[in-house]
Amino acid sequence: MMFGVGPAELLVLSLTSLLAFGLPSWLSWRICVKAGFPGQLGLISLVPLGLFVLLIVLAVADWPVSRAMKAPDRN
């Protein structure tokens, strides 16, 4: 019997890695953009405990989008 990593295992591993790292990063990027922050801030979710830190930052920070909505209309 042969033990090793074949093409099927590599495919499953790569898809799992893409889901485990890519999806949270993409979602964090989108949330940061919609809140008015730079999208690159969402990449902090790749760092261990980074997603937790990002959630804290988003919870306590003054969002640029909300500041723009509160500003008086200049028309």
Side-chain angles (χ1 to χ4, degrees):
M1 198 169 200
M2 186 178 193
F3 296 100
V5 179
E9 289 86 2
L10 287 176
L11 179 65
V12 169
L13 185 62
S14 62
L15 290 176
T16 304
S17 298
L18 182 64
L19 283 175
F21 296 111
L23 186 63
S25 298
W26 179 73
L27 291 173
S28 300
W29 186 293
R30 298 280 298 152
I31 289 169
C32 289
V33 168
K34 288 186 179 205
F37 293 105
Q40 293 87 349
L41 186 63
L43 294 177
I44 201 169
S45 65
L46 292 173
V47 178
L49 296 175
L51 190 56
F52 182 66
V53 171
L54 181 62
L55 288 174
I56 292 172
V57 168
L58 289 174
V60 299
D62 186 26
W63 291 9
V65 169
S66 65
R67 277 188 299 218
M69 292 175 70
K70 290 179 186 175
D73 193 16
R74 298 185 187 233
N75 288 333

PDB file of all heavy atoms in Angstrom, residues 47-68:
ATOM      1  N   VAL A  47      -4.511  37.182  10.201  1.00  0.00           N
ATOM      2  CA  VAL A  47      -3.627  37.030  11.360  1.00  0.00           C
ATOM      3  C   VAL A  47      -4.393  36.278  12.446  1.00  0.00           C
ATOM      4  O   VAL A  47      -5.588  36.511  12.623  1.00  0.00           O
ATOM      5  CB  VAL A  47      -3.201  38.423  11.874  1.00  0.00           C
ATOM      6  CG1 VAL A  47      -2.323  38.327  13.107  1.00  0.00           C
ATOM      7  CG2 VAL A  47      -2.506  39.192  10.778  1.00  0.00           C
ATOM      8  N   PRO A  48      -3.735  35.386  13.170  1.00  0.00           N
ATOM      9  CA  PRO A  48      -4.445  34.723  14.267  1.00  0.00           C
ATOM     10  C   PRO A  48      -5.042  35.746  15.235  1.00  0.00           C
ATOM     11  O   PRO A  48      -4.377  36.704  15.621  1.00  0.00           O
ATOM     12  CB  PRO A  48      -3.359  33.887  14.943  1.00  0.00           C
ATOM     13  CG  PRO A  48      -2.358  33.636  13.874  1.00  0.00           C
ATOM     14  CD  PRO A  48      -2.379  34.862  13.010  1.00  0.00           C
ATOM     15  N   LEU A  49      -6.279  35.554  15.590  1.00  0.00           N
ATOM     16  CA  LEU A  49      -7.075  36.446  16.430  1.00  0.00           C
ATOM     17  C   LEU A  49      -7.339  37.798  15.768  1.00  0.00           C
ATOM     18  O   LEU A  49      -7.889  38.701  16.385  1.00  0.00           O
ATOM     19  CB  LEU A  49      -6.436  36.663  17.805  1.00  0.00           C
ATOM     20  CG  LEU A  49      -6.329  35.424  18.682  1.00  0.00           C
ATOM     21  CD1 LEU A  49      -5.575  35.757  19.968  1.00  0.00           C
ATOM     22  CD2 LEU A  49      -7.693  34.870  19.008  1.00  0.00           C
ATOM     23  N   GLY A  50      -6.956  37.943  14.512  1.00  0.00           N
ATOM     24  CA  GLY A  50      -7.160  39.201  13.797  1.00  0.00           C
ATOM     25  C   GLY A  50      -8.622  39.511  13.557  1.00  0.00           C
ATOM     26  O   GLY A  50      -9.028  40.670  13.592  1.00  0.00           O
ATOM     27  N   LEU A  51      -9.424  38.493  13.310  1.00  0.00           N
ATOM     28  CA  LEU A  51     -10.846  38.713  13.091  1.00  0.00           C
ATOM     29  C   LEU A  51     -11.498  39.248  14.364  1.00  0.00           C
ATOM     30  O   LEU A  51     -12.344  40.146  14.307  1.00  0.00           O
ATOM     31  CB  LEU A  51     -11.525  37.424  12.636  1.00  0.00           C
ATOM     32  CG  LEU A  51     -12.955  37.539  12.149  1.00  0.00           C
ATOM     33  CD1 LEU A  51     -13.078  38.536  11.016  1.00  0.00           C
ATOM     34  CD2 LEU A  51     -13.463  36.182  11.707  1.00  0.00           C
ATOM     35  N   PHE A  52     -11.082  38.740  15.494  1.00  0.00           N
ATOM     36  CA  PHE A  52     -11.594  39.231  16.776  1.00  0.00           C
ATOM     37  C   PHE A  52     -11.202  40.691  16.984  1.00  0.00           C
ATOM     38  O   PHE A  52     -12.026  41.518  17.389  1.00  0.00           O
ATOM     39  CB  PHE A  52     -11.049  38.355  17.911  1.00  0.00           C
ATOM     40  CG  PHE A  52     -11.546  38.739  19.263  1.00  0.00           C
ATOM     41  CD1 PHE A  52     -12.885  38.594  19.595  1.00  0.00           C
ATOM     42  CD2 PHE A  52     -10.681  39.250  20.204  1.00  0.00           C
ATOM     43  CE1 PHE A  52     -13.350  38.951  20.844  1.00  0.00           C
ATOM     44  CE2 PHE A  52     -11.134  39.612  21.458  1.00  0.00           C
ATOM     45  CZ  PHE A  52     -12.473  39.459  21.780  1.00  0.00           C
ATOM     46  N   VAL A  53      -9.962  41.036  16.676  1.00  0.00           N
ATOM     47  CA  VAL A  53      -9.491  42.420  16.791  1.00  0.00           C
ATOM     48  C   VAL A  53     -10.256  43.318  15.827  1.00  0.00           C
ATOM     49  O   VAL A  53     -10.658  44.433  16.180  1.00  0.00           O
ATOM     50  CB  VAL A  53      -7.968  42.498  16.540  1.00  0.00           C
ATOM     51  CG1 VAL A  53      -7.493  43.936  16.442  1.00  0.00           C
ATOM     52  CG2 VAL A  53      -7.209  41.749  17.621  1.00  0.00           C
ATOM     53  N   LEU A  54     -10.491  42.839  14.620  1.00  0.00           N
ATOM     54  CA  LEU A  54     -11.232  43.616  13.627  1.00  0.00           C
ATOM     55  C   LEU A  54     -12.656  43.890  14.095  1.00  0.00           C
ATOM     56  O   LEU A  54     -13.166  45.005  13.940  1.00  0.00           O
ATOM     57  CB  LEU A  54     -11.249  42.885  12.286  1.00  0.00           C
ATOM     58  CG  LEU A  54     -11.982  43.591  11.146  1.00  0.00           C
ATOM     59  CD1 LEU A  54     -11.339  44.925  10.816  1.00  0.00           C
ATOM     60  CD2 LEU A  54     -12.036  42.707   9.927  1.00  0.00           C
ATOM     61  N   LEU A  55     -13.283  42.906  14.694  1.00  0.00           N
ATOM     62  CA  LEU A  55     -14.627  43.105  15.221  1.00  0.00           C
ATOM     63  C   LEU A  55     -14.643  44.150  16.334  1.00  0.00           C
ATOM     64  O   LEU A  55     -15.564  44.965  16.416  1.00  0.00           O
ATOM     65  CB  LEU A  55     -15.205  41.784  15.722  1.00  0.00           C
ATOM     66  CG  LEU A  55     -15.591  40.779  14.647  1.00  0.00           C
ATOM     67  CD1 LEU A  55     -16.014  39.471  15.282  1.00  0.00           C
ATOM     68  CD2 LEU A  55     -16.687  41.325  13.760  1.00  0.00           C
ATOM     69  N   ILE A  56     -13.636  44.144  17.180  1.00  0.00           N
ATOM     70  CA  ILE A  56     -13.548  45.142  18.243  1.00  0.00           C
ATOM     71  C   ILE A  56     -13.364  46.534  17.645  1.00  0.00           C
ATOM     72  O   ILE A  56     -14.015  47.498  18.061  1.00  0.00           O
ATOM     73  CB  ILE A  56     -12.411  44.799  19.230  1.00  0.00           C
ATOM     74  CG1 ILE A  56     -12.764  43.535  20.010  1.00  0.00           C
ATOM     75  CG2 ILE A  56     -12.139  45.959  20.175  1.00  0.00           C
ATOM     76  CD1 ILE A  56     -11.629  43.006  20.857  1.00  0.00           C
ATOM     77  N   VAL A  57     -12.483  46.645  16.660  1.00  0.00           N
ATOM     78  CA  VAL A  57     -12.241  47.938  16.008  1.00  0.00           C
ATOM     79  C   VAL A  57     -13.524  48.450  15.367  1.00  0.00           C
ATOM     80  O   VAL A  57     -13.890  49.626  15.511  1.00  0.00           O
ATOM     81  CB  VAL A  57     -11.108  47.829  14.965  1.00  0.00           C
ATOM     82  CG1 VAL A  57     -11.039  49.060  14.088  1.00  0.00           C
ATOM     83  CG2 VAL A  57      -9.779  47.588  15.656  1.00  0.00           C
ATOM     84  N   LEU A  58     -14.230  47.585  14.661  1.00  0.00           N
ATOM     85  CA  LEU A  58     -15.472  48.004  14.009  1.00  0.00           C
ATOM     86  C   LEU A  58     -16.556  48.351  15.023  1.00  0.00           C
ATOM     87  O   LEU A  58     -17.414  49.198  14.765  1.00  0.00           O
ATOM     88  CB  LEU A  58     -15.970  46.907  13.062  1.00  0.00           C
ATOM     89  CG  LEU A  58     -15.145  46.704  11.802  1.00  0.00           C
ATOM     90  CD1 LEU A  58     -15.654  45.496  11.030  1.00  0.00           C
ATOM     91  CD2 LEU A  58     -15.146  47.935  10.928  1.00  0.00           C
ATOM     92  N   ALA A  59     -16.524  47.731  16.178  1.00  0.00           N
ATOM     93  CA  ALA A  59     -17.539  47.990  17.189  1.00  0.00           C
ATOM     94  C   ALA A  59     -17.332  49.333  17.883  1.00  0.00           C
ATOM     95  O   ALA A  59     -18.306  50.010  18.213  1.00  0.00           O
ATOM     96  CB  ALA A  59     -17.544  46.872  18.225  1.00  0.00           C
ATOM     97  N   VAL A  60     -16.096  49.741  18.106  1.00  0.00           N
ATOM     98  CA  VAL A  60     -15.846  50.952  18.883  1.00  0.00           C
ATOM     99  C   VAL A  60     -15.456  52.162  18.040  1.00  0.00           C
ATOM    100  O   VAL A  60     -15.489  53.286  18.540  1.00  0.00           O
ATOM    101  CB  VAL A  60     -14.772  50.705  19.966  1.00  0.00           C
ATOM    102  CG1 VAL A  60     -15.227  49.633  20.933  1.00  0.00           C
ATOM    103  CG2 VAL A  60     -13.442  50.351  19.362  1.00  0.00           C
ATOM    104  N   ALA A  61     -15.100  51.963  16.786  1.00  0.00           N
ATOM    105  CA  ALA A  61     -14.656  53.083  15.949  1.00  0.00           C
ATOM    106  C   ALA A  61     -15.847  53.882  15.435  1.00  0.00           C
ATOM    107  O   ALA A  61     -16.956  53.367  15.284  1.00  0.00           O
ATOM    108  CB  ALA A  61     -13.836  52.558  14.777  1.00  0.00           C
ATOM    109  N   ASP A  62     -15.597  55.146  15.158  1.00  0.00           N
ATOM    110  CA  ASP A  62     -16.588  56.002  14.523  1.00  0.00           C
ATOM    111  C   ASP A  62     -16.486  55.758  13.014  1.00  0.00           C
ATOM    112  O   ASP A  62     -15.468  56.073  12.398  1.00  0.00           O
ATOM    113  CB  ASP A  62     -16.296  57.468  14.854  1.00  0.00           C
ATOM    114  CG  ASP A  62     -17.375  58.393  14.342  1.00  0.00           C
ATOM    115  OD1 ASP A  62     -18.528  57.942  14.194  1.00  0.00           O
ATOM    116  OD2 ASP A  62     -17.057  59.572  14.098  1.00  0.00           O
ATOM    117  N   TRP A  63     -17.521  55.201  12.431  1.00  0.00           N
ATOM    118  CA  TRP A  63     -17.472  54.820  11.030  1.00  0.00           C
ATOM    119  C   TRP A  63     -17.532  56.054  10.131  1.00  0.00           C
ATOM    120  O   TRP A  63     -18.383  56.928  10.326  1.00  0.00           O
ATOM    121  CB  TRP A  63     -18.636  53.907  10.679  1.00  0.00           C
ATOM    122  CG  TRP A  63     -18.564  52.549  11.285  1.00  0.00           C
ATOM    123  CD1 TRP A  63     -17.700  52.106  12.222  1.00  0.00           C
ATOM    124  CD2 TRP A  63     -19.417  51.448  10.973  1.00  0.00           C
ATOM    125  NE1 TRP A  63     -17.956  50.798  12.523  1.00  0.00           N
ATOM    126  CE2 TRP A  63     -19.007  50.368  11.768  1.00  0.00           C
ATOM    127  CE3 TRP A  63     -20.482  51.276  10.105  1.00  0.00           C
ATOM    128  CZ2 TRP A  63     -19.618  49.134  11.711  1.00  0.00           C
ATOM    129  CZ3 TRP A  63     -21.089  50.048  10.052  1.00  0.00           C
ATOM    130  CH2 TRP A  63     -20.658  48.992  10.840  1.00  0.00           C
ATOM    131  N   PRO A  64     -16.651  56.124   9.131  1.00  0.00           N
ATOM    132  CA  PRO A  64     -16.707  57.246   8.195  1.00  0.00           C
ATOM    133  C   PRO A  64     -18.052  57.356   7.472  1.00  0.00           C
ATOM    134  O   PRO A  64     -18.500  58.454   7.164  1.00  0.00           O
ATOM    135  CB  PRO A  64     -15.576  56.934   7.212  1.00  0.00           C
ATOM    136  CG  PRO A  64     -14.623  56.085   7.980  1.00  0.00           C
ATOM    137  CD  PRO A  64     -15.479  55.278   8.910  1.00  0.00           C
ATOM    138  N   VAL A  65     -18.707  56.257   7.221  1.00  0.00           N
ATOM    139  CA  VAL A  65     -20.002  56.284   6.542  1.00  0.00           C
ATOM    140  C   VAL A  65     -21.039  56.981   7.411  1.00  0.00           C
ATOM    141  O   VAL A  65     -21.835  57.785   6.921  1.00  0.00           O
ATOM    142  CB  VAL A  65     -20.455  54.845   6.185  1.00  0.00           C
ATOM    143  CG1 VAL A  65     -21.894  54.821   5.739  1.00  0.00           C
ATOM    144  CG2 VAL A  65     -19.574  54.277   5.115  1.00  0.00           C
ATOM    145  N   SER A  66     -21.036  56.712   8.698  1.00  0.00           N
ATOM    146  CA  SER A  66     -22.019  57.348   9.575  1.00  0.00           C
ATOM    147  C   SER A  66     -21.730  58.840   9.723  1.00  0.00           C
ATOM    148  O   SER A  66     -22.655  59.641   9.847  1.00  0.00           O
ATOM    149  CB  SER A  66     -22.054  56.668  10.940  1.00  0.00           C
ATOM    150  OG  SER A  66     -20.827  56.834  11.609  1.00  0.00           O
ATOM    151  N   ARG A  67     -20.452  59.229   9.683  1.00  0.00           N
ATOM    152  CA  ARG A  67     -20.116  60.657   9.724  1.00  0.00           C
ATOM    153  C   ARG A  67     -20.632  61.350   8.474  1.00  0.00           C
ATOM    154  O   ARG A  67     -21.148  62.463   8.541  1.00  0.00           O
ATOM    155  CB  ARG A  67     -18.603  60.847   9.816  1.00  0.00           C
ATOM    156  CG  ARG A  67     -18.071  60.724  11.204  1.00  0.00           C
ATOM    157  CD  ARG A  67     -16.630  61.121  11.232  1.00  0.00           C
ATOM    158  NE  ARG A  67     -15.896  60.210  10.348  1.00  0.00           N
ATOM    159  CZ  ARG A  67     -14.695  59.733  10.591  1.00  0.00           C
ATOM    160  NH1 ARG A  67     -14.051  60.117  11.657  1.00  0.00           N
ATOM    161  NH2 ARG A  67     -14.113  58.908   9.766  1.00  0.00           N
ATOM    162  N   ALA A  68     -20.494  60.694   7.319  1.00  0.00           N
ATOM    163  CA  ALA A  68     -20.962  61.283   6.062  1.00  0.00           C
ATOM    164  C   ALA A  68     -22.487  61.404   6.059  1.00  0.00           C
ATOM    165  O   ALA A  68     -23.037  62.354   5.504  1.00  0.00           O
ATOM    166  CB  ALA A  68     -20.491  60.438   4.887  1.00  0.00           C
TER     167      ALA A  68
END
